[in-house]
Amino acid sequence: MSVGRHRARSWARGALALAYGIAGLAHLTRPAGFVAITPDWVPAPETVVALTGAAELAGAAGLMIPPLRKAAGVGLALYALCVWPANFNHALHDIPLGGAHLSWWYHGPRLALQPVFIWWALWASGVTGWPLRK
């Protein structure tokens, strides 16, 4: 791997770990908004939100520990896939957060970018080189 590509992957990994670390803390310290967007079919939403926060923190830490990096990347990719229904629920039912209704200018890109977050976790962790490999 070239030095530039190694540097880009390292930066992407650090940025992703930071984002998931912040999100994990938010899930644990301010769960109400996450509980509000959880679909009705999810059992024990408060517990699920707490577990997802713990999973985000574990994934963020795992990205920074070389022997755990690939497992963390796969875990975070699966996590992003599994929480996608909550994002759809939020958008389709116009669930306000903190009293604010978010428009499709927020929801549209958020939903469309979820596959990018999945790929980002896999690429930053070294699980895949696609589409940037030689």
Side-chain angles (χ1 to χ4, degrees):
M1 180 185 312
S2 73
V3 172
R5 190 171 298 158
H6 177 73
R7 204 171 283 152
R9 189 172 280 185
S10 180
W11 179 90
R13 188 171 42 251
L16 190 63
L18 179 63
Y20 272 112
I22 291 168
L25 287 173
H27 275 78
L28 295 173
T29 61
R30 296 186 318 260
F34 301 104
V35 171
I37 69 169
T38 302
D40 292 337
W41 51 265
V42 175
E46 294 84 2
T47 301
V48 170
V49 167
L51 290 173
T52 59
E56 288 173 314
L57 291 172
L63 284 176
M64 306 315 290
I65 302 170
L68 302 177
R69 186 167 291 152
K70 287 185 179 182
V74 169
L76 289 172
L78 289 171
Y79 167 85
L81 180 64
C82 289
V83 300
W84 212 353
N87 297 327
F88 274 105
N89 189 54
H90 185 199
L92 295 175
H93 294 102
D94 191 29
I95 299 167
L97 295 180
H101 291 269
L102 301 173
S103 75
W104 277 96
W105 287 105
Y106 168 82
H107 292 299
R110 176 69 180 92
L111 293 170
L113 287 173
Q114 198 72 6
V116 174
F117 296 132
I118 293 168
W119 168 82
W120 187 357
L122 297 172
W123 183 77
S125 65
V127 172
T128 187
W130 179 87
L132 305 174
R133 61 182 157 210
K134 282 187 175 180

